[in-house]
Amino acid sequence: MSALLDDFIRHELSDHLVGLIKATVAEAQINPEIALREFNGNVFDLAFNFKRSEVIITNILETDSEGVESLSVDQFLTAIGAPRIT
C-alpha cells in the first residue's frame, strides 16, 4: 500500500465515508451515465472516474506529484475494506 493511500485510510476514512463510497459505486454500476463523482475531505479529495474505473486520491496540502495517486476502483475498494459490489 502506498504512503498516500495509507495516510488517507488512517486520517480521513470513516465508516460513514465507506458507506457513501459503497453507495456511489453501487449507483454507478446501475446507472452507466454516472461518469464522475468527487468526495472532498479535510485533507484528502477523492475523484472517481467510472468510465476509466479509476480513483484519484489527492492530498490537498501537498503541491507536488507525491500528493496525488491514481489506482483502480477495485484496488481502492479492497484497500478500504469495501470489496466491489457485483
Side-chain angles (χ1 to χ4, degrees):
M1 184 177 318
S2 74
L4 186 67
L5 179 57
D6 187 48
D7 286 346
F8 165 75
I9 290 170
R10 278 188 289 123
H11 300 292
E12 194 99 20
L13 191 64
S14 65
D15 290 340
H16 177 71
L17 183 55
V18 170
L20 289 174
I21 290 168
K22 287 172 66 174
T24 299
V25 171
E27 182 183 4
Q29 289 177 327
I30 293 168
N31 183 355
E33 295 297 314
I34 297 173
L36 302 170
R37 285 290 191 262
E38 293 184 358
F39 295 90
N40 299 317
N42 294 321
V43 176
F44 295 92
D45 290 344
L46 301 175
F48 284 79
N49 183 329
F50 292 108
K51 298 289 185 195
R52 295 178 56 184
S53 188
E54 174 183 62
V55 179
I56 298 172
I57 304 169
T58 304
N59 180 333
I60 61 172
L61 302 177
E62 295 283 332
T63 59
D64 59 14
S65 62
E66 291 181 18
V68 178
E69 180 177 356
S70 173
L71 59 156
S72 76
V73 171
D74 287 338
Q75 288 173 317
F76 179 78
L77 292 175
T78 299
I80 67 167
R84 186 172 197 138
I85 302 164
T86 56

